[in-house]
Amino acid sequence: QRLLGYAALLCAGLFLTDRFLLRPVVGWHRERGRQISKLRTERARAEAVLKNQALYKARMDELLQHAPPTDPSAAEQMLLGALKAWAERADISIESMRPRRVIEAKRQPELEIRLAARGPLEGLAHMLYDLETAPQPIRIQRVDLSTDKHDKTQLDMALDLSMLLAPDSAGSGKDKP
């Protein structure tokens, strides 16, 4: 009977040790393992960012170098000059260019241009490629292509373009004090 009492006390002691000591320690250990795994993942990401920092800096410097001027008129002249140069290089003729500044309260100000050009298909494709790969923040909104009724080798292209302007170049018409 004494042996049975010792066995019962031993079982009760093991039960209490498991319930109040081992389970909390094991739970804490598992949680700590999850935290360590999460921290290792964050550390690997941070090391990757630091490793590519020179690449990011070079890309940012390139973007800033080709950013439009803060003066809206200068930005407009820069874009119009670039469009004329690309058209000349692509051997197409520009029929018309109509720039328009768009200033909306919810969006960043931008310069919109409606461009009408004419030329062979490969020249128009070259012009579109130059626009898509330009370092300036230019977006092609719409492209319309049509053939000439008299000369089937020439295509007419109408483009709606936009370029972001610097936020302080909005020129809302109000004088700043």
Side-chain angles (χ1 to χ4, degrees):
Q1 203 174 23
R2 196 182 288 172
L3 186 60
L4 202 54
Y6 289 137
L9 284 175
L10 180 66
C11 285
L14 288 175
F15 174 76
L16 292 174
T17 302
D18 177 57
R19 176 68 89 196
F20 295 110
L21 186 65
L22 292 178
R23 285 187 186 180
V25 168
V26 169
W28 174 81
H29 183 68
R30 284 184 184 150
E31 181 61 31
R32 190 75 174 149
R34 282 190 214 109
Q35 288 176 349
I36 289 171
S37 176
K38 182 180 175 184
L39 289 172
R40 283 184 180 150
T41 303
E42 288 179 15
R43 179 179 166 210
R45 286 182 185 158
E47 286 175 350
V49 167
L50 289 174
K51 184 177 166 184
N52 294 325
Q53 182 179 10
L55 178 68
Y56 294 143
K57 184 175 181 338
R59 178 68 178 138
M60 183 57 87
D61 290 344
E62 179 186 344
L63 288 173
L64 290 174
Q65 180 183 5
H66 296 291
T70 56
D71 178 33
S73 298
E76 182 178 314
Q77 291 305 313
M78 180 200 70
L79 182 57
L80 294 177
L83 288 170
K84 288 176 186 175
W86 291 328
E88 186 177 307
R89 196 169 52 221
D91 197 27
I92 63 174
S93 63
I94 294 180
E95 304 292 321
S96 69
M97 284 192 287
R98 291 189 307 257
R100 181 176 74 105
R101 288 186 203 133
V102 177
I103 302 165
E104 294 181 15
K106 295 180 184 175
R107 294 178 36 197
Q108 186 166 348
E110 52 185 42
L111 174 67
E112 290 183 349
I113 292 186
R114 175 78 173 163
L115 174 81
R118 163 178 269 207
L121 178 61
E122 59 191 39
L124 295 176
H126 187 70
M127 174 79 167
L128 287 172
Y129 176 79
D130 284 342
L131 284 167
E132 285 291 327
T133 58
Q136 295 89 357
I138 298 173
R139 185 165 82 184
I140 298 175
Q141 303 285 351
R142 196 174 104 199
V143 178
D144 292 327
L145 291 173
S146 60
T147 59
D148 189 355
K149 295 177 184 175
H150 304 293
D151 186 3
K152 299 294 183 192
T153 62
Q154 296 290 309
L155 293 173
D156 293 324
M157 176 173 69
L159 282 173
D160 289 337
L161 308 169
S162 66
M163 179 176 77
L164 292 177
L165 297 174
D168 58 342
S169 69
S172 60
K174 297 178 183 174
D175 291 330
K176 295 182 180 177

